[in-house]
Amino acid sequence: MTIFTEKHAKELLSKVIAYSKADEIECNLNGEVSGNIRYARNSVSTAGEQSDLTLSVQSTFGKRIGTAAINEFDDASLEKVVRRSEELAKLAPENPEHMPNFGKQKYLKANNFFESTANVTPDDRAQAAENSIKPSKANDLVSSGFLEESIRATAIMNSAGAFAYNKSSNVDFSVTIRTKDGRGSGWVSRDYSDVALLDTKSASQVAIDKSKGSVDAKEMEPGKYTVILEPAASVGLLNNLVRSMNQRQADEGRSFLSNKLKKGEKGPTNKLGQKMFDERVHIYSDPNDALVPVAPFAGNGYPRNKIDWIKDGVITNMPNSPFWAKKTDTDYVPSGGHFIMAGGNESLEDMIKNTRRGILVTRLWYIRGLDPQTLLYTGLTRDGTFYIENGKIKYPIKNFRFNESPIVMLNNIEALGKPERIDGNLVPPMKIRDFTFSSLSDAV
């Protein structure tokens, strides 16, 4: 029942809608089954499985909206949650930005479910952890990691005729491996829709090599350096950039895409169509990408299709809401659910080989915003930072605090590699000039 079929979802949600006395009703059914294993100090510490199924009902009278949720599915409970949402709607103030539900839609065929991930057993999780712990012990290192796989089913139905269904799978793995004296640290993360692609042994070897190689880090003066950012080092900054592309924020003068018009001046209020980045920058979303597939519809049931956000360095599309699209007489553009940045032909090894003086960064973390208008962020390097000289890694260096904007970063591209999946997105390794490190950090 937790992972319901499309037929079952349609039958259940049709029954819920039949109870409605409101002007409009929308129902969201979400089911999840997941399993996990956690280890620390080379020993498994926790493991478990969980499942849940929740029905959320939103009723609307005019512009008054009420929402209620339940996880009981007998007829009396289904009618009760509908009545509760209607009671709340009648008590709610009017929402001036309310828009009617979408009618029947056409969707791309989803391909984000893999039976292999659904068939993971506790023994599989234990073996995956052992494949990480065993080589750590053999290298006299200490590993701490977490593995979780999940299967999700989502269905949306409303009284205007829309119905959408999607079943997806996902697995996430990350491990930090340190030397026993704490002077060296390595980290790696992997995530896939298909668990068959996950090899915790080879992934852990990356963290082992980083851990052993980062011992006895030397100090370097902060400043502007050419950096080679592994995908885990740039995904946070890029994600913040993509999330800041909302049209309304730009039109209202609250984002890096705002056009600053003088008082009385007429013109576009945002930077749609303007070139803002290196012409190699191409960021897009594609629900059916083979490596990072997502549901072919947004949370309100509107279809998602392949869409460019930035192409040839030009702002090509900006996500908005149905209300803002109508207000500004533009098309409604839902968010993509993930992002894909196109890459280039250079491998990470080639980038290092072609660098006279630079820094290899494994990961950025504790990223915090400083200025939303320029997308200036600060944060720290972590788990393996290395000095490059004349095409070779010379030695590990102490971590830095950085102050940098992804806008500047994407204008200082030297080279791009093949994109890799990280946090549900596709990001290439990048070689960037003049990346700003502002101070040293004692963290390992």
Side-chain angles (χ1 to χ4, degrees), residues 1 8-21 25-29 53-59 68-86:
M1 174 61 183
H8 191 180
K10 190 173 286 187
E11 291 173 352
L12 189 146
L13 296 181
S14 296
K15 183 187 295 185
V16 174
I17 285 180
Y19 287 125
S20 176
K21 298 177 182 177
I25 181 171
E26 179 183 294
C27 310
N28 289 263
L29 189 62
L53 178 63
T54 303
L55 170 67
S56 177
V57 175
Q58 178 176 290
S59 295
I70 200 167
N71 56 4
E72 296 175 292
F73 296 91
D74 57 90
D75 289 354
S77 296
L78 295 178
E79 183 172 8
K80 184 172 71 175
V81 71
V82 173
R83 295 289 165 263
R84 182 61 177 155
S85 68
E86 292 174 347

Side-chain angles (χ1 to χ4, degrees), residues 17-18 20 22-27 58 60 101-104 157-162:
I17 285 180
S20 176
D23 297 340
E24 289 185 304
I25 181 171
E26 179 183 294
C27 310
Q58 178 176 290
T60 305
N101 290 328
F102 297 107
K104 188 176 182 179
M157 181 181 283
N158 66 39
S159 51

Side-chain angles (χ1 to χ4, degrees), residues 242 284-287 294-295 304-305 307 309 319 333-339:
V242 172
Y284 62 101
S285 295
D286 182 0
V294 294
R304 279 181 179 145
N305 294 294
I307 186 169
W309 304 111
V333 181
S335 64
H338 68 177
F339 74 87

Side-chain angles (χ1 to χ4, degrees), residues 80-198:
K80 184 172 71 175
V81 71
V82 173
R83 295 289 165 263
R84 182 61 177 155
S85 68
E86 292 174 347
E87 291 168 6
L88 291 170
K90 290 174 181 176
L91 293 171
E94 288 194 346
N95 178 359
E97 299 187 4
H98 169 70
M99 295 291 291
N101 290 328
F102 297 107
K104 188 176 182 179
Q105 305 289 322
K106 288 185 177 179
Y107 304 106
L108 297 173
K109 184 179 179 182
N111 62 354
N112 54 348
F113 174 76
F114 290 82
E115 200 69 41
S116 55
T117 308
N119 292 333
V120 170
T121 66
D123 286 345
D124 294 332
R125 293 179 208 119
Q127 186 60 57
E130 175 64 10
N131 291 343
S132 177
I133 292 170
K134 187 175 180 179
S136 298
K137 285 182 176 177
N139 284 276
D140 204 25
L141 300 170
V142 182
S143 63
S144 301
F146 185 66
L147 169 72
E148 182 177 42
E149 93 286 339
S150 61
I151 306 299
R152 293 187 176 92
T154 301
I156 300 171
M157 181 181 283
N158 66 39
S159 51
F163 174 73
Y165 173 86
N166 181 64
K167 187 163 72 168
S168 64
S169 57
N170 192 68
V171 60
D172 289 291
F173 169 72
S174 67
V175 62
T176 299
I177 298 178
R178 290 194 154 210
T179 57
K180 287 186 173 178
D181 60 9
R183 293 187 302 140
S185 180
W187 173 89
V188 72
S189 172
R190 297 283 187 269
D191 64 286
Y192 302 102
S193 299
D194 181 0
V195 74
L197 298 176
L198 176 62

